Amino acid sequence: MYQTQPPQQPYGRPPQPPYPPQQPYPYPPYPPQQTVPQQMMQQTMQQPPQPPRQPPRPPKKKLNWLQLLLILAAFGFAGWYVYTALVPAAAPFATITAGTLGARYSGDCLIVRDETPYDAEGVTSVDYEAAEGSEVERGTTICNVYSSSYSTREMTALQEYRDQIRDYQLKLLAAETTYDAKMARVESDVLARAREVREMIGGARGSLSNQEKLLDAAIDARQQYLKSKYSSDQRLSRLYDDELSQLQRIQSWTKSYAATGSAIVSFYSDGYEYSLTADNYDTFIPADVRRMYNGYKPEKATADKGKTTIYRMVQDGEWYVLFLSHDTSWNPVDGQTYELKLERFENTTVYATVVSSTRSGGELLVRLAVRDSVKPVLYMRTCQAELGDYVSSLCVPSRALYRQDDMDGVVVVDGDNRSFIPVNILLRDGDYVYISAIQQGLLYEGQTVMLF
């Protein structure tokens, strides 16, 4: 047998070990190749199924005009039914009411009073007797004026004499040993009146001025009784003589003023009383009134140099207004009466009559006369005001008008009777109408009329 020899290695190369066994390929194998029909089938299977196609919708039918009318009529009937069911029926009757018509004119006012100022020269002080704003009669003492010759030293001396009289009277009363019933009574009257004055000061009801007069009368009665009781006392008589002499000395420097007639007295003055009077108020033109309204005082607007105004006497019952109208196109009629409302004076109705009017320099001046109490304007000189031109009329709802035989009127209800009264329509103001009867006396406030 032949023995097989291992192959010989080439010369110069070491023997190599045998190759290791074949390992599997580490990467995944390529996908198998697919044919085109297979690819199309696979793509078709992967797509989502398509919804089936809907058939086209038929066109909407539009409502014709007859159907729209029927729908609107149904809604209208439903609304009318709800309204009549929920809203109460209107009243078939109404009452005639009083009404006023007219225009209103605003403007600036200068008040003129029928007043007379009184002044004095060298006045040191004034002792007022009459009350401010009171009505005085002829002969009533208004005030006592102390001239420059008077000095307070004289009043001090008078008070010293009176203090001595008081102290000496108390000394005489303390020395009395017998009970004097009359003295006790006059003393009790003084104490009672003083107590009443104190209570009124504390808030008790009553007239404080009247109570003060009663207290003065009680004090005078006590003094008269003391003078008669100790008339024989020489020292007391001498003190009375000293007091009287001092009073006469003071009175020689004092002038007493009394009222010369019936009027309202006032101790406040603004200086216009000398130049703006009831005798010359109609001589001023619009420019003069405008300057005085702005604070200018014309000549002779104050007392003469060295004199002081101490009081003024104001006649009641009539006063005047210089009215600068803001509406310069207004044409006032002389003699016509208007309703006047002054600033801070709205709640009082005053009627003013046109005396005259002047238009110049772009201003309209209306001079008015007021025949009423002057007390509301006793301290008023300038203010704003409003004039109203009013006409009395009757007012009814517009539904009360009824037309018959081509005439407007109202149907008056009197029990079961119905009467048509023709009227003149003065003004239509919304739901109301201002009317007046063609035949006076047939219509009046409070009558019942029918509504249509």
Side-chain angles (χ1 to χ4, degrees), residues 54-206:
Q54 300 291 335
R57 296 181 179 180
K60 293 183 178 180
K61 293 182 179 181
K62 295 183 178 181
L63 299 176
N64 54 30
W65 62 272
L66 182 59
Q67 292 174 328
L68 289 175
L69 288 179
L70 290 175
I71 294 174
L72 292 176
F75 276 108
F77 176 78
W80 170 83
Y81 179 80
V82 172
Y83 178 82
T84 55
L86 298 180
V87 179
F93 305 104
T95 303
I96 299 178
T97 58
T100 54
L101 296 173
R104 305 182 72 86
Y105 307 97
S106 60
D108 303 323
C109 289
L110 191 67
I111 306 298
V112 183
R113 294 174 289 268
D114 186 3
E115 55 192 348
T116 303
Y118 291 84
D119 48 38
E121 188 175 2
V123 176
T124 301
S125 62
V126 180
D127 183 15
Y128 295 106
E129 298 288 340
E132 166 66 27
S134 62
E135 298 182 12
V136 296
E137 302 294 334
R138 180 181 178 88
T140 304
T141 302
I142 296 176
C143 62
N144 297 313
V145 179
Y146 297 94
S147 64
S148 57
S149 300
Y150 162 81
S151 64
T152 57
R153 183 179 66 251
E154 305 298 334
M155 286 297 297
T156 304
L158 177 62
Q159 187 60 42
E160 289 179 355
Y161 288 130
R162 289 177 173 175
D163 291 341
Q164 292 177 18
I165 293 173
R166 180 199 60 194
D167 296 339
Y168 190 65
Q169 286 176 344
L170 293 174
K171 183 178 179 181
L172 291 175
L173 290 173
E176 288 288 337
T177 57
T178 59
Y179 176 75
D180 189 344
K182 187 174 181 180
M183 186 63 209
R185 186 175 65 253
V186 294
E187 186 72 21
S188 177
D189 290 343
V190 172
L191 294 177
R193 298 303 182 187
R195 189 183 306 109
E196 291 172 355
V197 171
R198 187 183 300 111
E199 290 175 354
M200 288 185 182
I201 295 176
R205 289 183 173 273

Side-chain angles (χ1 to χ4, degrees), residues 68 76 102 117 152 194 222 260 328 345 358 364 415 439:
L68 289 175
T152 57
R222 183 181 63 177
T260 58
T328 57
F345 193 33
T358 302
L364 173 61
Q439 185 176 354

Side-chain angles (χ1 to χ4, degrees), residues 8-40:
Q8 297 293 324
Q9 297 293 332
Y11 180 77
R13 297 179 61 184
Q16 298 288 333
Y19 291 102
Q22 188 71 25
Q23 299 293 331
Y25 197 71
Y27 301 100
Y30 290 104
Q33 297 292 327
Q34 298 179 353
T35 60
V36 174
Q38 291 177 344
Q39 293 179 356
M40 294 179 61

Side-chain angles (χ1 to χ4, degrees), residues 110 283-296 324 358-365 367:
L110 191 67
T283 62
F284 295 100
I285 63 176
D288 297 334
V289 176
R290 176 59 67 184
R291 285 196 296 269
M292 286 188 288
Y293 180 83
N294 293 331
Y296 169 77
L324 291 170
T358 302
R359 196 188 311 270
S360 66
E363 295 266 25
L364 173 61
L365 173 62
R367 303 175 186 92

